[in-house]
Amino acid sequence: MVKASELTNKSRDELLKQLEELRNELSSLKVAQVTGGNAAKLSKISNVRKSIARVLTVYNQTRKASLRAEFKSAKYQPLDLRPTLTRSMRRRLTPAQAAKTTLRQRKKNAHFPKRKYAVK
């Protein structure tokens, strides 16, 4: 059983090597299952599959984190690195666009400011 905390310190090559080892082990366990191996081997299959999933998860997380750092200052980001939000929120005007006013409205605001009332 592999712990995710141990995997985070490993490099990309080490993770891929461990993944290959786990996949080989899984294939040998599957052969043992077909040939009627003992119960200890059969129960190990689920642990190996979960270990493979952990390695892949850590690998993908580190890969995505490095991509995020790479595209941090870029003008455009790949779609999968952009914030998800909801469809309507993605299509909403940016705060700068929403704050813009027309020339006519700016003149109105300048000549007829909002009235201030003294309230007791």
Side-chain angles (χ1 to χ4, degrees), residues 58-89:
V58 170
Y59 174 74
N60 289 329
Q61 281 176 343
T62 52
R63 195 165 141 248
K64 201 155 193 176
S66 66
L67 283 172
R68 278 190 201 282
E70 186 180 322
F71 284 98
K72 185 82 171 161
S73 59
K75 185 172 182 182
Y76 299 109
Q77 288 187 336
L79 292 176
D80 60 335
L81 297 182
R82 294 179 193 172
T84 312
L85 307 175
T86 61
R87 189 168 187 267
S88 63
M89 286 175 77

Side-chain angles (χ1 to χ4, degrees), residues 19-69:
L19 182 65
E20 191 61 37
E21 290 170 2
L22 286 168
R23 283 186 171 156
N24 290 337
E25 186 180 351
L26 182 64
S27 64
S28 66
L29 289 171
K30 293 256 185 181
V31 168
Q33 182 183 23
V34 171
T35 57
N38 60 351
K41 279 192 174 181
L42 299 181
S43 63
K44 198 175 178 189
I45 290 177
S46 63
N47 287 341
V48 173
R49 287 179 65 216
K50 286 178 183 177
S51 295
I52 289 172
R54 281 190 192 95
V55 171
L56 284 171
T57 301
V58 170
Y59 174 74
N60 289 329
Q61 281 176 343
T62 52
R63 195 165 141 248
K64 201 155 193 176
S66 66
L67 283 172
R68 278 190 201 282

Side-chain angles (χ1 to χ4, degrees), residues 102-116:
T102 61
L103 176 63
R104 183 184 176 98
Q105 188 61 45
R106 286 196 300 264
K107 285 181 181 176
K108 266 188 184 177
N109 292 344
H111 294 299
F112 305 102
K114 191 112 174 130
R115 290 183 179 179
K116 294 174 185 156

